[in-house]
Amino acid sequence: MSTDVNVKMEALAGVDPDALPLQVKDLHVEFRTRNGIAHAVNGVSFDLRAGETRAILGESGCGKSVTAQAIMGILDTPPGFITGGEILYRGVDLLKLPESERRKVRANRVAMIFQDALSALNPVFTVGFQLAELFRKHRGMSRQDAKARAVELLDLVKIPAAKQRVNDYPHQFSGGMRQRVMIAMALALDPEVLIADEPTTALDVTVQAQIMALLAELQRERNMGLVLITHDMGVVADVADRISVMYAGRVIEEAGVNDIYANPAHPYTKGLLESIPRLDLKGHELSAIKGLPPMLTNIPPGCAFNPRCGYAQDVCRQDPAPPLYQVSPSRTAACHFWKEVKGDE
Ligand code: SF4
């Protein structure tokens, strides 16, 4: 395979806009620690279409952020190692590219927004300088043109008085405004895929809604694919097209958002849904999923969810883990008893 990713990308530039810009296939990531090997990602697969929002949902420690880091090529190695699988950007396996080519993809095609904007931005430079640097470095723009583009971007993410604020430092912005700056930086080079890792977790509820609305608007305008990493089913309901629910490093249910909310096919998904408040179910008692997710150095045999599962039977405690059963042509669930869970039997 040619390592010149730009040549390949240009050759592929005319593909059907509905093409899949991102495909993750059977991804495996492990962390080699003093306490043993933590199996953080165990065969994760998903596709992302142009203009689609794919939510990756699960409790902390389920492997969703590690999946994002692996896609971006920013995994801490060691201790983290990608031990198998493919990450295809427009058909090019990013895992086979040299770091110099990978960096070009990261800068131009696949961008990421982090949870903590304050630590992701450099405190000693103004936000305008940091934005302008992207245009100078990757687009060869003059200082003046790059600064003008920085102002345009701050305008785009609806930062009031962008012309003045471009000269401010990150600490001079509120949490919500800083997250807008992060979005501006991520979108600066017109990526085709945006990965947002818990982009609103550190913000209060009203600001969360504003940021998600902004992301959705920008995504629509640009027909960009969005991978939204979150533990919050409330956030997912409003914006996602498809959901991959993760547990102990595996995708345990994959479906369109309406199917999941109407009728989950995995007990874990069902438990997550029952633990969120719903206006349409007044007087409905909220329930939490009992127990804790397993240590990734010590995943139980069989179905990793079995110690917490009210549907578990003997077969669930024995290897192999349940495969992803085809629940319908467009959804899968890794549960031996998905029919009972879904209420089909
Ligand atoms: Fe529960 Fe068994 Fe289904 Fe796992 S396979 S989710 S333990 S019923």
Side-chain angles (χ1 to χ4, degrees):
M1 183 181 75
S2 159
T3 56
D4 188 342
V5 73
N6 280 334
V7 171
K8 273 188 173 262
M9 284 166 186
E10 262 144 44
L12 284 159
V15 297
D16 174 6
D18 286 338
L20 304 169
L22 184 70
Q23 291 173 282
V24 175
K25 292 186 176 178
D26 199 23
L27 182 68
H28 288 257
V29 182
E30 64 184 34
F31 285 83
R32 297 171 193 164
T33 72
R34 258 188 249 150
N35 300 326
I37 294 179
H39 299 278
V41 178
N42 304 307
V44 164
S45 300
F46 64 86
D47 293 338
L48 181 73
R49 295 190 164 276
E52 178 182 65
T53 296
R54 151 95 42 197
I56 301 190
L57 180 80
E59 291 163 290
S60 46
C62 71
K64 53 194 194 306
S65 291
V66 174
T67 301
Q69 288 162 13
I71 296 169
M72 291 304 291
I74 55 170
L75 198 66
D76 263 343
T77 305
F81 293 88
I82 295 172
T83 53
E86 294 174 314
I87 298 171
L88 304 175
Y89 170 71
R90 286 186 165 252
V92 178
D93 187 358
L94 300 181
L95 299 179
K96 294 197 173 127
L97 293 179
E99 182 48 31
S100 56
E101 300 293 340
R102 190 85 193 265
R103 217 174 295 130
K104 285 183 203 163
V105 176
R106 194 154 58 229
N108 290 285
R109 312 291 176 152
V110 183
M112 185 160 173
I113 302 171
F114 298 89
Q115 186 181 134
D116 180 5
L118 193 55
S119 52
L121 293 165
N122 192 325
V124 302
F125 296 111
T126 65
V127 299
F129 178 85
Q130 293 181 61
L131 277 165
E133 270 302 282
L134 289 171
F135 296 115
R136 283 166 54 75
K137 199 164 152 199
H138 297 282
R139 298 283 186 266
M141 282 188 183
S142 69
R143 202 172 289 271
Q144 203 180 1
D145 289 350
K147 186 161 181 190
R149 281 291 289 133
V151 174
E152 278 173 30
L153 270 170
L154 293 186
D155 250 341
L156 180 78
V157 296
K158 301 183 170 62
I159 291 187
K163 252 190 188 156
Q164 288 78 48
R165 303 259 24 214
V166 79
N167 298 315
D168 285 347
Y169 291 86
H171 73 270
Q172 293 174 287
F173 289 81
S174 66
M177 287 295 153
R178 258 196 311 269
Q179 202 53 285
R180 286 172 192 264
V181 172
M182 278 292 294
I183 294 172
M185 290 195 75
L187 298 187
L189 302 175
D190 275 326
E192 208 174 352
V193 173
L194 181 63
I195 300 176
D197 187 2
E198 305 272 14
T200 59
T201 301
L203 307 173
D204 66 43
V205 177
T206 46
V207 181
Q208 276 185 9
Q210 291 163 4
I211 296 290
M212 287 315 302
L214 174 69
L215 263 179
E217 183 185 325
L218 294 169
Q219 179 199 20
R220 249 190 331 270
E221 283 169 16
R222 292 157 178 249
N223 199 32
M224 192 171 59
L226 175 65
V227 179
L228 176 66
I229 311 269
T230 182
H231 66 277
D232 187 340
M233 283 209 98
V235 167
V236 168
D238 293 335
V239 295
D241 299 303
R242 296 196 68 78
I243 303 182
S244 300
V245 184
M246 281 188 74
Y247 189 79
R250 293 183 72 205
V251 173
I252 50 88
E253 183 159 7
E254 198 280 326
V257 66
N258 294 336
D259 283 340
I260 290 230
Y261 277 82
N263 209 354
H266 194 285
Y268 177 62
T269 317
K270 196 171 181 171
L272 288 176
L273 275 170
E274 285 168 357
S275 64
I276 54 169
R278 287 179 53 179
L279 287 175
D280 57 330
L281 293 176
K282 272 199 183 149
H284 170 76
E285 221 172 276
L286 292 181
S287 60
I289 302 172
K290 64 174 186 182
L292 293 170
M295 302 278 292
L296 296 173
T297 47
N298 191 20
I299 296 176
C303 174
F305 189 57
N306 82 70
R308 305 174 75 186
C309 182
Y311 292 83
Q313 299 191 28
D314 286 348
V315 64
C316 305
R317 299 179 192 97
Q318 292 155 17
D319 278 335
L324 276 167
Y325 293 100
Q326 203 73 47
V327 172
S328 78
S330 59
R331 70 185 294 195
T332 52
C335 174
H336 297 306
F337 301 105
W338 64 265
K339 288 182 185 164
E340 286 87 335
V341 178
K342 201 167 158 284
D344 288 1
E345 268 181 11

